[in-house]
Amino acid sequence: MATEAQANASPSIDAKQPPLAPWDAPVTVTTYEFPRMEPVRFESYSPKHLKMPLRKDLLHRAVVYEGDMTRQGTASTKWRDDVHGSHRKLIQQKGSGRARVGDRQSPIRVGGGVAHGPHPRDFSTDLPAKIYDQAWRTALSYRYQRGELIVIDNQISLHPESTPHLLQTILDQNEWHTKKGRSTFITMGLDPSMADKFEKLQRYATLRDARTVDVKNLLETKRLIIEKKALDYFLNRHSRDLVSKPAKAKYH
């Protein structure tokens, strides 16, 4: 008597795909609802976005590059030709028995020009865009791997009539206060009422618009509380060195 083959026979060992290496596995991020901080869902990100190895040299180059870009370079002094007044000699060259002197614009005289003084200049330096993008993702990965990257699923906002005391309570309950270090909140849409509340609690936390954040801001405080929309904005903007671009998040 012939027997029927099992329909759900397990595939052979050769047909199984090899497991992903730890550095190739996707990164799972838990998103929370603000201000109750209850878990909402899990989001998956590429390891090239939130699992970058720590590269202090890239972070240093990015911070120096940003600092050079913000230097004004407006310091200006007057050389002897720029000082107002007559350029004639104060006394005759010979016959007075005194040392030779020039005009009143001489740098050795009070009110004269400044020798080798600063003049307006451009302090900005160059940094390849791909290196700068890697520094951005390295900073975010550093925060994530240390458990200091908290992703908010909704907008970071409170009722307009709420007081800063409510925000202080939220910071205390989640240990986002000075005992554990200051925190940086990053949002895509800066709410004026929230900005006023954070202004009164700037000793404990700061609120920043995502369009004004740089690499230094990601590293200078203890932790980051960031909206998912802002995180996706950073990853999409700073992925120029990757072949495959990250997918843009869809919101309900």
Side-chain angles (χ1 to χ4, degrees):
M1 231 179 118
T3 58
E4 297 180 357
Q6 296 181 359
N8 55 351
S10 60
S12 60
I13 299 178
D14 297 335
K16 293 183 179 180
Q17 297 181 355
L20 293 175
W23 52 85
D24 291 333
V27 179
T28 302
V29 178
T30 305
T31 62
Y32 299 88
E33 180 185 359
F34 188 85
R36 295 185 297 175
M37 298 308 299
E38 295 181 354
V40 177
R41 55 182 172 176
F42 296 105
E43 292 291 339
S44 180
Y45 288 92
S46 170
K48 296 182 179 180
H49 295 151
L50 293 180
K51 202 182 262 188
M52 297 279 290
L54 180 60
R55 290 282 304 274
K56 294 183 179 180
D57 57 328
L58 296 184
L59 298 178
H60 178 264
R61 293 180 63 181
V63 172
V64 172
Y65 165 74
E66 294 170 348
D68 292 341
M69 291 288 290
T70 57
R71 294 187 67 176
Q72 294 183 354
T74 56
S76 179
T77 55
K78 292 183 179 180
W79 177 233
R80 62 190 309 164
D81 293 337
D82 302 324
V83 179
H84 178 72
S86 174
H87 292 273
R88 68 176 180 86
K89 293 172 66 65
L90 295 179
I91 61 175
Q92 61 184 0
Q93 180 80 359
K94 296 180 181 298
S96 64
R98 301 170 59 184
R100 293 175 295 179
V101 296
D103 53 18
R104 65 178 300 272
Q105 287 83 6
S106 175
I108 65 176
R109 292 189 174 275
V110 177
V114 178
H116 309 293
H119 295 282
R121 55 172 292 190
D122 184 13
F123 286 96
S124 61
T125 55
D126 295 330
L127 183 67
K130 293 183 178 181
I131 299 297
Y132 188 55
D133 290 346
Q134 291 181 18
W136 263 89
R137 302 199 310 275
T138 300
L140 292 172
S141 301
Y142 173 75
R143 288 301 196 184
Y144 170 77
Q145 294 172 12
R146 290 175 58 92
E148 299 170 350
L149 182 67
I150 303 172
V151 183
I152 304 300
D153 193 75
N154 57 336
Q155 185 179 5
I156 300 176
S157 63
L158 297 173
H159 194 276
E161 297 182 358
S162 60
T163 62
H165 179 71
L166 176 59
L167 180 59
Q168 177 69 61
T169 303
I170 297 173
L171 297 177
D172 292 339
Q173 290 180 349
N174 294 279
E175 296 185 353
W176 296 339
H177 45 70
T178 54
K179 293 182 180 179
K180 296 294 184 179
R182 296 173 67 247
S183 301
T184 298
F185 289 73
I186 302 177
T187 177
M188 280 300 296
L190 195 61
D191 187 0
S193 62
M194 287 294 292
D196 294 339
K197 296 180 179 63
F198 276 94
E199 183 68 22
K200 298 179 180 179
L201 299 176
Q202 57 183 349
R203 291 178 52 193
Y204 305 95
T206 57
L207 179 65
R208 302 188 63 93
D209 190 289
R211 300 171 185 85
T212 63
V213 174
D214 53 22
V215 175
K216 182 180 179 181
N217 299 137
L218 301 179
L219 301 172
E220 61 185 357
T221 55
K222 181 62 179 177
R223 67 186 59 78
L224 298 177
I225 297 92
I226 181 173
E227 294 178 1
K228 182 180 182 300
K229 194 172 183 180
L231 178 60
D232 295 340
Y233 168 77
F234 290 152
L235 296 179
N236 278 277
R237 185 177 182 183
H238 298 287
S239 298
R240 287 170 288 187
D241 59 314
L242 300 180
V243 177
S244 59
K245 303 299 180 181
K248 296 183 178 179
K250 298 181 180 179
Y251 298 92
H252 299 287

